[in-house]
Coordinates of all heavy atoms in Angstrom, one line a residue:
H1 N 126.9 76.1 57.8 CA 126.9 77.5 57.3 C 126.0 77.6 56.1 O 126.0 76.7 55.3 CB 128.4 77.8 56.9 CG 129.3 77.7 58.0 ND1 129.4 78.7 59.0 CD2 130.2 76.7 58.3 CE1 130.4 78.3 59.8 NE2 130.9 77.1 59.4
P2 N 125.3 78.6 55.9 CA 125.2 79.8 56.8 C 124.3 79.5 58.0 O 123.5 78.5 58.0 CB 124.5 80.8 55.8 CG 123.7 80.0 54.9 CD 124.4 78.7 54.7
A3 N 124.3 80.3 58.9 CA 123.5 80.2 60.2 C 122.1 80.6 59.9 O 121.2 80.2 60.8 CB 124.1 81.0 61.3
E4 N 121.8 81.2 58.8 CA 120.4 81.7 58.5 C 120.1 81.4 57.1 O 120.9 81.7 56.2 CB 120.3 83.2 58.8 CG 119.0 83.8 58.6 CD 118.9 85.2 58.9 OE1 119.0 85.6 60.1 OE2 118.9 86.0 57.9
V5 N 119.0 80.7 56.8 CA 118.6 80.3 55.5 C 117.2 81.0 55.3 O 116.3 80.8 56.1 CB 118.5 78.8 55.3 CG1 117.9 78.5 54.0 CG2 119.9 78.2 55.5
R6 N 117.0 81.7 54.2 CA 115.7 82.3 53.9 C 115.1 81.6 52.7 O 115.8 81.4 51.7 CB 115.9 83.8 53.6 CG 116.3 84.6 54.8 CD 116.4 86.1 54.5 NE 116.8 86.8 55.7 CZ 115.9 87.3 56.5 NH1 114.6 87.2 56.3 NH2 116.3 87.9 57.6
V7 N 113.8 81.3 52.8 CA 113.1 80.7 51.7 C 111.7 81.3 51.7 O 111.3 82.0 52.6 CB 112.9 79.1 51.9 CG1 114.3 78.4 51.8 CG2 112.2 78.8 53.2
E8 N 111.0 81.1 50.5 CA 109.7 81.7 50.3 C 108.6 80.7 50.7 O 108.7 79.6 50.4 CB 109.5 82.2 48.9 CG 110.4 83.4 48.5 CD 110.2 83.9 47.1 OE1 109.0 83.9 46.7 OE2 111.1 84.1 46.4
F9 N 107.6 81.3 51.4 CA 106.4 80.5 51.7 C 105.8 79.9 50.5 O 105.6 80.5 49.5 CB 105.4 81.4 52.5 CG 104.1 80.7 52.7 CD1 103.9 79.8 53.7 CD2 103.0 81.1 51.9 CE1 102.7 79.2 53.9 CE2 101.8 80.5 52.2 CZ 101.6 79.6 53.1
N10 N 105.4 78.6 50.6 CA 104.7 77.8 49.6 C 105.4 77.8 48.2 O 104.7 77.8 47.2 CB 103.3 78.3 49.4 CG 102.4 77.3 48.8 OD1 102.6 76.1 48.9 ND2 101.3 77.8 48.1
R11 N 106.7 77.9 48.2 CA 107.5 77.8 46.9 C 108.5 76.7 47.1 O 109.2 76.6 48.1 CB 108.2 79.1 46.6 CG 107.2 80.2 46.2 CD 107.8 81.2 45.4 NE 108.3 80.7 44.1 CZ 109.0 81.4 43.3 NH1 109.2 82.7 43.6 NH2 109.5 80.9 42.2
P12 N 108.6 75.7 46.2 CA 109.5 74.6 46.3 C 110.9 75.2 46.5 O 111.3 76.1 45.9 CB 109.4 73.9 45.0 CG 108.0 74.2 44.5 CD 107.8 75.6 45.0
A13 N 111.7 74.5 47.4 CA 113.0 74.9 47.7 C 113.9 73.7 47.9 O 113.4 72.6 48.0 CB 113.1 75.7 49.0
H14 N 115.2 73.9 47.8 CA 116.1 72.8 48.0 C 117.3 73.3 48.9 O 117.7 74.4 48.8 CB 116.8 72.4 46.7 CG 115.9 71.7 45.7 ND1 115.0 72.4 44.9 CD2 115.6 70.4 45.5 CE1 114.3 71.6 44.2 NE2 114.7 70.3 44.5
L15 N 117.6 72.4 49.9 CA 118.8 72.7 50.7 C 119.9 71.7 50.1 O 119.7 70.6 49.8 CB 118.6 72.3 52.1 CG 117.7 73.2 52.9 CD1 117.5 72.7 54.3 CD2 118.3 74.6 53.0
L16 N 121.1 72.3 50.0 CA 122.3 71.5 49.5 C 123.2 71.5 50.7 O 123.7 72.5 51.1 CB 122.9 72.2 48.3 CG 124.1 71.5 47.7 CD1 123.7 70.2 47.0 CD2 124.7 72.4 46.7
I17 N 123.4 70.3 51.3 CA 124.2 70.2 52.5 C 125.5 69.4 52.2 O 125.3 68.2 51.8 CB 123.4 69.7 53.7 CG1 122.2 70.6 54.0 CG2 124.3 69.5 54.9 CD1 121.4 70.1 55.1
H18 N 126.6 69.9 52.4 CA 127.9 69.2 52.3 C 128.4 68.8 53.7 O 128.5 69.7 54.5 CB 129.0 70.1 51.7 CG 128.6 70.7 50.4 ND1 128.6 70.0 49.2 CD2 128.2 72.0 50.1 CE1 128.2 70.8 48.2 NE2 128.0 72.0 48.7
R19 N 128.6 67.5 53.9 CA 129.1 67.0 55.2 C 130.5 66.6 55.0 O 130.8 65.6 54.3 CB 128.2 65.8 55.7 CG 127.6 66.2 57.0 CD 127.0 65.1 57.7 NE 127.9 64.7 58.8 CZ 128.1 63.5 59.2 NH1 127.5 62.5 58.6 NH2 129.0 63.3 60.1
F20 N 131.4 67.3 55.6 CA 132.8 67.0 55.4 C 133.4 66.1 56.6 O 134.5 65.6 56.5 CB 133.6 68.3 55.4 CG 133.3 69.2 54.2 CD1 132.6 70.3 54.4 CD2 133.6 68.8 52.9 CE1 132.2 71.1 53.3 CE2 133.3 69.6 51.8 CZ 132.6 70.8 52.0
E21 N 132.6 65.9 57.6 CA 133.0 65.1 58.7 C 132.8 63.6 58.4 O 132.0 63.2 57.6 CB 132.1 65.4 60.0 CG 132.2 66.8 60.5 CD 131.2 67.8 59.8 OE1 130.3 67.3 59.1 OE2 131.3 69.0 60.0
S22 N 133.7 62.8 59.0 CA 133.6 61.4 58.8 C 133.0 60.6 59.9 O 132.7 59.5 59.9 CB 135.0 60.8 58.5 OG 135.9 61.1 59.6
D23 N 132.8 61.4 61.1 CA 132.2 60.7 62.2 C 131.2 61.7 62.8 O 131.4 62.9 63.0 CB 133.3 60.5 63.3 CG 132.8 59.6 64.4 OD1 132.1 58.7 64.2 OD2 133.2 59.9 65.6
P24 N 130.0 61.2 63.1 CA 129.5 59.9 62.9 C 129.2 59.6 61.4 O 129.2 60.5 60.6 CB 128.1 59.9 63.7 CG 127.7 61.3 63.6 CD 128.9 62.2 63.6
K25 N 129.0 58.3 61.1 CA 128.8 57.9 59.7 C 127.6 58.5 59.1 O 127.5 58.7 57.9 CB 128.8 56.4 59.6 CG 130.2 55.8 59.9 CD 130.2 54.3 59.6 CE 131.6 53.8 60.0 NZ 131.9 52.7 59.2
E26 N 126.5 58.7 59.9 CA 125.3 59.3 59.5 C 124.8 60.3 60.5 O 125.1 60.1 61.7 CB 124.2 58.3 59.2 CG 124.5 57.3 58.1 CD 123.5 56.3 57.9 OE1 122.8 55.9 58.9 OE2 123.3 55.8 56.8
E27 N 124.2 61.4 60.1 CA 123.6 62.3 61.0 C 122.3 62.8 60.5 O 122.2 63.0 59.3 CB 124.6 63.5 61.2 CG 124.3 64.5 62.3 CD 125.5 65.3 62.7 OE1 126.1 65.9 61.8 OE2 125.7 65.5 63.9
I28 N 121.4 63.1 61.4 CA 120.1 63.5 60.9 C 120.0 65.1 60.9 O 120.6 65.7 61.8 CB 118.9 63.0 61.8 CG1 117.6 63.4 61.2 CG2 119.0 63.5 63.2 CD1 116.6 62.3 61.0
F29 N 119.4 65.6 59.9 CA 119.1 67.1 59.8 C 117.6 67.2 59.9 O 116.9 66.5 59.3 CB 119.6 67.6 58.5 CG 119.2 69.0 58.2 CD1 119.9 70.1 58.7 CD2 118.1 69.3 57.5 CE1 119.5 71.4 58.5 CE2 117.6 70.6 57.2 CZ 118.4 71.6 57.7
E30 N 117.2 68.2 60.6 CA 115.7 68.4 60.7 C 115.4 69.9 60.9 O 116.1 70.6 61.6 CB 115.1 67.6 61.8 CG 115.6 67.9 63.2 CD 115.1 66.9 64.2 OE1 115.7 65.9 64.5 OE2 114.0 67.2 64.8
V31 N 114.2 70.2 60.4 CA 113.5 71.4 60.7 C 112.1 70.9 61.0 O 111.2 70.8 60.2 CB 113.5 72.4 59.5 CG1 112.7 73.7 59.9 CG2 114.8 72.7 59.0
D32 N 111.9 70.5 62.3 CA 110.8 69.8 62.7 C 109.5 70.4 62.4 O 108.5 69.8 61.9 CB 110.9 69.5 64.2 CG 109.9 68.5 64.7 OD1 109.8 67.4 64.1 OD2 109.3 68.7 65.8
A33 N 109.3 71.7 62.7 CA 108.1 72.4 62.5 C 107.6 72.4 61.0 O 106.4 72.5 60.7 CB 108.2 73.9 63.0
L34 N 108.6 72.3 60.1 CA 108.3 72.2 58.6 C 108.3 70.8 58.1 O 108.1 70.6 56.9 CB 109.3 73.1 57.9 CG 109.3 74.6 58.2 CD1 110.4 75.3 57.4 CD2 107.9 75.2 58.0
Q35 N 108.5 69.8 59.0 CA 108.5 68.4 58.6 C 109.6 68.2 57.5 O 109.4 67.5 56.6 CB 107.2 67.9 58.2 CG 106.1 68.0 59.3 CD 104.8 67.5 58.8 OE1 104.5 67.3 57.7 NE2 103.9 67.3 59.8
V36 N 110.8 68.8 57.7 CA 111.9 68.6 56.9 C 112.9 67.7 57.6 O 113.4 68.1 58.7 CB 112.6 69.9 56.5 CG1 113.9 69.7 55.7 CG2 111.6 70.8 55.7
Y37 N 113.1 66.5 57.1 CA 114.0 65.6 57.8 C 114.9 64.9 56.7 O 114.4 64.6 55.6 CB 113.3 64.4 58.5 CG 112.2 64.9 59.5 CD1 110.9 65.1 59.1 CD2 112.6 65.3 60.7 CE1 110.0 65.5 60.0 CE2 111.7 65.8 61.7 CZ 110.4 65.9 61.3 OH 109.4 66.3 62.2
A38 N 116.2 64.7 57.0 CA 117.1 64.0 56.0 C 118.2 63.4 56.8 O 118.7 63.9 57.8 CB 117.6 65.0 55.0
L39 N 118.6 62.2 56.3 CA 119.8 61.6 56.8 C 121.0 62.0 56.0 O 121.0 61.9 54.8 CB 119.6 60.0 56.7 CG 120.6 59.2 57.4 CD1 120.5 59.5 58.9 CD2 120.2 57.7 57.2
L40 N 122.0 62.5 56.7 CA 123.2 63.0 56.0 C 124.4 62.1 56.2 O 124.9 62.0 57.3 CB 123.6 64.4 56.6 CG 122.5 65.5 56.7 CD1 123.0 66.7 57.4 CD2 122.0 65.8 55.3
P41 N 124.8 61.4 55.1 CA 125.9 60.5 55.2 C 127.2 61.3 55.4 O 127.3 62.4 54.8 CB 125.9 59.7 53.9 CG 124.6 59.9 53.3 CD 124.1 61.2 53.9
A42 N 128.2 60.7 56.1 CA 129.5 61.3 56.2 C 130.1 61.5 54.8 O 130.0 60.6 53.9 CB 130.4 60.5 57.1
M43 N 130.9 62.6 54.7 CA 131.7 62.8 53.5 C 130.8 62.8 52.2 O 131.2 62.2 51.2 CB 132.8 61.8 53.4 CG 133.7 61.7 54.6 SD 134.5 63.3 55.1 CE 135.6 63.5 53.7
H44 N 129.6 63.4 52.3 CA 128.7 63.3 51.2 C 127.9 64.6 51.0 O 127.8 65.4 52.0 CB 127.7 62.2 51.4 CG 126.8 61.9 50.3 ND1 127.2 61.2 49.2 CD2 125.5 62.1 50.2 CE1 126.1 61.1 48.4 NE2 125.1 61.6 49.0
T45 N 127.4 64.9 49.8 CA 126.5 66.0 49.6 C 125.1 65.5 49.5 O 124.9 64.6 48.7 CB 127.0 66.8 48.4 OG1 128.3 67.3 48.5 CG2 126.0 68.0 48.1
T46 N 124.2 66.2 50.2 CA 122.8 65.7 50.2 C 121.9 66.9 49.7 O 122.1 68.0 50.2 CB 122.3 65.3 51.6 OG1 123.2 64.3 52.0 CG2 120.9 64.8 51.6
I47 N 121.0 66.6 48.8 CA 120.0 67.6 48.4 C 118.7 67.3 49.0 O 118.2 66.2 48.9 CB 119.9 67.6 46.8 CG1 121.2 68.0 46.2 CG2 118.8 68.6 46.4 CD1 121.2 67.8 44.7
I48 N 118.1 68.3 49.7 CA 116.8 68.1 50.4 C 115.8 69.0 49.8 O 115.8 70.2 50.0 CB 117.0 68.4 51.9 CG1 118.2 67.6 52.5 CG2 115.7 68.2 52.7 CD1 118.6 68.1 53.9
P49 N 114.8 68.4 49.0 CA 113.7 69.2 48.5 C 112.6 69.3 49.5 O 112.3 68.4 50.3 CB 113.3 68.4 47.3 CG 113.7 67.0 47.6 CD 114.9 67.0 48.5
F50 N 112.0 70.5 49.6 CA 110.8 70.7 50.4 C 110.0 71.9 50.0 O 110.5 72.6 49.1 CB 111.3 70.9 51.9 CG 112.1 72.1 52.1 CD1 111.5 73.2 52.7 CD2 113.4 72.2 51.8 CE1 112.2 74.4 52.9 CE2 114.1 73.4 52.0 CZ 113.5 74.5 52.6
N51 N 108.8 72.0 50.5 CA 107.9 73.1 50.2 C 107.4 73.7 51.5 O 106.5 73.1 52.1 CB 106.8 72.6 49.3 CG 106.0 73.8 48.7 OD1 106.1 74.9 49.1 ND2 105.1 73.4 47.8
P52 N 107.9 74.8 52.0 CA 107.5 75.3 53.3 C 106.1 75.8 53.3 O 105.7 76.6 52.5 CB 108.5 76.5 53.5 CG 109.0 76.9 52.2 CD 109.0 75.6 51.3
Q53 N 105.3 75.3 54.3 CA 103.9 75.6 54.4 C 103.6 76.4 55.6 O 102.4 76.6 55.9 CB 103.1 74.3 54.4 CG 103.2 73.5 53.1 CD 102.7 74.2 51.9 OE1 101.5 74.7 51.9 NE2 103.5 74.4 50.9
Q54 N 104.6 77.0 56.3 CA 104.3 77.9 57.4 C 105.3 79.1 57.3 O 106.5 78.9 56.9 CB 104.6 77.2 58.7 CG 103.7 76.2 59.2 CD 104.0 75.7 60.6 OE1 103.9 76.5 61.5 NE2 104.6 74.5 60.7
R55 N 104.9 80.2 57.7 CA 105.8 81.4 57.8 C 106.3 81.5 59.2 O 105.7 81.0 60.1 CB 105.0 82.7 57.5 CG 104.5 82.8 56.1 CD 103.8 84.1 55.9 NE 103.0 84.1 54.7 CZ 103.4 84.4 53.5 NH1 104.6 84.8 53.3 NH2 102.5 84.3 52.4
G56 N 107.6 82.0 59.3 CA 108.1 82.1 60.6 C 109.6 81.8 60.6 O 110.2 81.6 59.6
T57 N 110.2 81.7 61.8 CA 111.6 81.4 62.0 C 111.7 80.1 62.7 O 111.1 79.9 63.8 CB 112.3 82.5 62.8 OG1 112.2 83.7 62.1 CG2 113.8 82.2 63.0
F58 N 112.4 79.1 62.2 CA 112.4 77.7 62.7 C 113.9 77.3 62.9 O 114.7 77.5 62.0 CB 111.7 76.8 61.7 CG 110.3 77.3 61.4 CD1 110.1 78.0 60.2 CD2 109.2 77.1 62.2 CE1 108.8 78.4 59.9 CE2 108.0 77.5 61.9 CZ 107.8 78.2 60.7
P59 N 114.1 76.6 64.0 CA 115.5 76.1 64.2 C 115.8 74.9 63.3 O 115.0 74.1 63.0 CB 115.5 75.6 65.7 CG 114.1 75.4 66.0 CD 113.2 76.3 65.1
M60 N 117.0 74.9 62.8 CA 117.6 73.8 62.0 C 118.5 73.0 63.0 O 119.3 73.6 63.7 CB 118.4 74.2 60.8 CG 117.6 75.0 59.8 SD 118.5 75.4 58.3 CE 119.7 76.7 59.0
V61 N 118.3 71.7 63.1 CA 119.0 70.9 64.1 C 119.7 69.7 63.4 O 119.2 69.1 62.5 CB 118.0 70.3 65.1 CG1 118.6 69.5 66.1 CG2 117.2 71.5 65.8
L62 N 120.9 69.5 63.9 CA 121.8 68.3 63.5 C 121.9 67.3 64.6 O 122.0 67.7 65.8 CB 123.2 68.8 63.1 CG 123.3 69.5 61.8 CD1 124.7 70.0 61.6 CD2 123.0 68.5 60.6
G63 N 121.8 66.1 64.3 CA 122.0 65.0 65.2 C 120.9 65.0 66.3 O 121.2 64.4 67.4
G64 N 119.8 65.7 66.2 CA 118.8 65.7 67.2 C 119.0 66.6 68.3 O 118.1 66.7 69.2
E65 N 120.2 67.3 68.4 CA 120.4 68.1 69.5 C 121.2 69.4 69.3 O 121.1 70.4 70.0 CB 121.1 67.3 70.6 CG 122.4 66.7 70.1 CD 123.0 65.8 71.1 OE1 122.3 65.0 71.7 OE2 124.3 65.8 71.3
R66 N 122.0 69.4 68.2 CA 122.9 70.6 68.0 C 122.2 71.6 67.0 O 121.8 71.2 65.9 CB 124.2 70.1 67.3 CG 125.1 69.4 68.2 CD 126.5 69.1 67.6 NE 126.5 69.2 66.1 CZ 126.8 68.1 65.4 NH1 127.1 67.0 65.9 NH2 126.8 68.2 64.1
K67 N 122.0 72.8 67.5 CA 121.4 73.8 66.7 C 122.4 74.1 65.5 O 123.6 74.3 65.7 CB 121.1 75.0 67.5 CG 120.3 76.1 66.7 CD 119.9 77.2 67.6 CE 119.2 78.2 66.7 NZ 118.8 79.4 67.5
A68 N 121.8 74.1 64.3 CA 122.6 74.4 63.1 C 122.3 75.7 62.5 O 122.7 76.0 61.4 CB 122.4 73.3 62.1
G69 N 121.4 76.5 63.1 CA 121.0 77.8 62.5 C 119.5 77.9 62.5 O 118.8 77.1 63.2
V70 N 119.0 78.8 61.7 CA 117.6 79.0 61.6 C 117.1 79.1 60.1 O 117.9 79.5 59.3 CB 117.0 80.3 62.4 CG1 117.2 80.1 63.8 CG2 117.7 81.5 61.8
M71 N 115.9 78.6 59.9 CA 115.3 78.8 58.6 C 114.2 79.8 58.7 O 113.3 79.7 59.6 CB 114.8 77.5 58.1 CG 114.1 77.6 56.7 SD 113.6 76.0 56.0 CE 115.2 75.3 55.8
I72 N 114.2 80.8 57.9 CA 113.2 81.9 57.9 C 112.4 81.7 56.6 O 112.9 81.7 55.5 CB 113.9 83.3 57.9 CG1 114.7 83.4 59.2 CG2 112.8 84.4 57.9 CD1 115.6 84.6 59.2
V73 N 111.1 81.5 56.9 CA 110.1 81.4 55.7 C 109.4 82.7 55.6 O 108.7 83.1 56.6 CB 109.2 80.2 56.0 CG1 108.2 80.1 54.8 CG2 109.9 78.9 56.2
E74 N 109.5 83.3 54.5 CA 108.9 84.7 54.3 C 107.7 84.6 53.3 O 107.6 83.8 52.5 CB 109.9 85.6 53.7 CG 111.1 85.7 54.6 CD 112.2 86.6 54.1 OE1 112.6 86.4 52.9 OE2 112.7 87.5 54.8

């Protein structure tokens, strides 16, 4: 949550992801087109810094297969 994240083009941003699940012990988060990748440990909060270099709407994916929403770079 949320299903839609908006960030500004070429401005440093941070995602703050809270993982409340205990299984699996680690899960990957990715926005492949923006080269945003992070390993999310179970029961942990992860901060992911990035600087979006493309405008558009990009899928956010968990575990390599589950769609987690979209990131919109304006």
Side-chain angles (χ1 to χ4, degrees):
H1 301 283
E4 183 179 287
V5 174
R6 292 181 179 269
V7 294
E8 291 184 43
F9 170 75
N10 201 31
R11 291 205 58 188
H14 292 82
L15 290 175
L16 182 69
I17 300 179
H18 304 285
R19 242 194 101 218
F20 298 108
E21 298 87 10
S22 59
D23 190 42
K25 291 186 182 209
E26 296 177 329
E27 188 163 47
I28 187 129
F29 169 85
E30 62 185 89
V31 183
D32 191 47
L34 298 177
Q35 297 180 345
V36 176
Y37 306 97
L39 192 59
L40 309 176
M43 308 302 291
H44 187 74
T45 299
T46 304
I47 299 170
I48 306 168
F50 66 102
N51 189 350
Q53 296 298 305
Q54 287 187 71
R55 295 180 197 271
T57 301
F58 307 98
M60 297 185 292
V61 178
L62 283 172
E65 59 189 42
R66 292 189 333 244
K67 188 172 178 183
V70 294
M71 179 176 292
I72 300 169
V73 181
E74 302 175 309

